[in-house]
Amino acid sequence: MIELEQILKKNNVKPTAMRLLVLQFLLNKKSAISLTDVEEYFVKSDRTTLYRTLKTFVESELAHKIDDGTGVTKYALCEENCHCEIDTDLHLHFHCKLCNETSCLTDHKIPNISLPKNFIAEDVNLVVKGICNKCNSN
Amino acid sequence: MIELEQILKKNNVKPTAMRLLVLQFLLNKKSAISLTDVEEYFVKSDRTTLYRTLKTFVESELAHKIDDGTGVTKYALCEENCHCEIDTDLHLHFHCKLCNETSCLTDHKIPNISLPKNFIAEDVNLVVKGICNKCNSN
DNA sequence: TAGTGTATGCAATGGAAGTGCATTAATTTG
DNA sequence: CAAATTAATGCACTTCCATTGCATACACTA
């Protein structure tokens, strides 16, 4: 528990009860989760609070925001020492159309992309859709 | 004009007046457009009709749907001979945060992606965000 | 020409993101 | 310690976009 507090403090986020709980929840999830997921888990808490909690996490580089193409924003904790930097920290996301889960393939960094002249890249989003290993083996 | 009809017929889409107009509109656009863009252009037509027209185009592989991370679905005509196939047809999209335009970098195919064992890729979406060449030169 | 199927238009719904404001909790400062 | 300031939370509401149901209009076929 104390560890959780440390994580938040390290990123200059005040460790409120709500934030600790949401952080814990995210830690337990292997796949990326949506605001609705969090909302369904913390029924007693308000949607807005959860929304802002996630927003705070993203702004303080504790979590990253994932657009997996489903139209619903997903969130996942950053890896240790992640600064959400292009070329080094950004990885591939995989969305399974069967189980509907979006997972972070953190080992799969985004390949180097050459852009036409005068284009400046600031962020890259790479999402692969298909069938994940779990669903494939069933 | 007759050309437009041919395009539709080739993809088994009945060439109605509305569809011809929307197709024409898409042809004139270099960047990907949203339903709202189309709606603003064809003020007299109904949103639903335009929505379904675009949907029809996507389903008949005349256009592809782009999720550029803005939260608004964009559409762009497929290239000649496109079958929306992974590895050969899918290309990079670039979203400029200044002019807010999403462009198809059709010359930039998506690099080969190696997935972990038992993952099956069916679709890939690669979006780079930053500043486009036009905005960069101003 | 009648009949069938598709396209269109209108109205309405639903989901998700986001904002404004009042209230409460926490922290700083005199 | 109390007052004052700042931050976090909860509630209500708005907005935006995607999507559907149903009735009408159009087009094609028998």
Side-chain angles (χ1 to χ4, degrees), chain B residues 27-127:
Chain B
L27 272 170
N28 290 335
K29 290 282 173 181
K30 309 139 283 301
S31 56
I33 53 102
S34 67
L35 172 57
T36 307
D37 292 333
V38 186
E39 202 190 350
E40 283 168 1
Y41 188 80
F42 297 104
V43 198
K44 289 189 291 185
S45 183
D46 186 71
R47 179 182 185 83
T48 314
T49 305
L50 298 170
Y51 167 73
R52 287 196 261 235
T53 299
L54 291 172
K55 197 179 174 186
T56 302
F57 284 5
V58 171
E59 283 166 356
S60 45
E61 293 191 345
L62 233 139
H64 59 274
K65 212 172 169 178
I66 305 162
D67 181 352
D68 60 7
T70 58
V72 180
T73 308
K74 301 284 164 60
Y75 303 86
L77 286 185
C78 288
E79 295 168 84
E80 193 93 32
N81 298 322
C82 170
H83 299 290
C84 296
E85 269 168 25
I86 206 171
D87 295 330
T88 55
D89 295 326
L90 296 179
H91 55 262
L92 178 58
H93 290 114
F94 189 92
H95 178 75
C96 176
K97 67 172 186 182
L98 296 182
C99 65
N100 212 32
E101 278 193 7
T102 299
S103 38
C104 297
L105 301 183
T106 48
D107 294 339
H108 291 65
K109 299 301 177 206
I110 293 183
N112 209 31
I113 292 158
S114 64
L115 288 176
K117 205 162 178 289
N118 289 325
F119 278 76
I120 301 173
E122 293 181 352
D123 190 19
V124 182
N125 194 32
L126 176 57
V127 181

Side-chain angles (χ1 to χ4, degrees), chain A:
Chain A
M1 285 303 142
I2 298 213
E3 286 173 38
L4 293 177
E5 280 204 37
Q6 298 307 326
I7 297 175
L8 290 180
K9 283 181 181 168
K10 210 173 89 179
N11 289 60
N12 295 315
V13 177
K14 275 193 208 166
T16 67
M18 201 65 251
R19 286 172 181 170
L20 288 167
L21 288 169
V22 174
L23 179 59
Q24 175 86 75
F25 180 70
L26 282 172
L27 272 169
N28 291 336
K29 290 281 171 181
K30 310 137 284 300
S31 56
I33 53 101
S34 68
L35 172 56
T36 307
D37 292 334
V38 186
E39 201 191 350
E40 282 168 1
Y41 188 80
F42 298 104
V43 198
K44 287 190 290 183
S45 183
D46 187 72
R47 177 181 189 84
T48 314
T49 305
L50 298 169
Y51 167 72
R52 287 196 261 239
T53 300
L54 291 172
K55 197 180 174 186
T56 303
F57 284 5
V58 171
E59 283 166 357
S60 45
E61 293 190 343
L62 235 140
H64 59 274
K65 214 173 168 175
I66 305 161
D67 181 351
D68 61 8
T70 57
V72 181
T73 307
K74 302 284 165 62
Y75 303 87
L77 286 185
C78 289
E79 294 167 84
E80 194 95 31
N81 299 322
C82 170
H83 298 289
C84 297
E85 270 168 26
I86 205 171
D87 293 333
T88 56
D89 295 326
L90 296 180
H91 55 262
L92 177 59
H93 290 115
F94 188 91
H95 179 76
C96 176
K97 69 173 187 182
L98 295 182
C99 64
N100 210 31
E101 279 195 7
T102 299
S103 39
C104 296
L105 301 183
T106 49
D107 294 338
H108 291 65
K109 300 302 177 203
I110 293 184
N112 210 32
I113 292 158
S114 63
L115 288 176
K117 207 162 178 289
N118 289 324
F119 278 76
I120 301 173
E122 293 182 352
D123 191 19
V124 182
N125 194 30
L126 177 56
V127 181
V128 180
K129 292 185 199 184
I131 299 168
C132 74
N133 55 350
K134 273 181 283 177
C135 293
N136 191 23
S137 58
N138 293 338

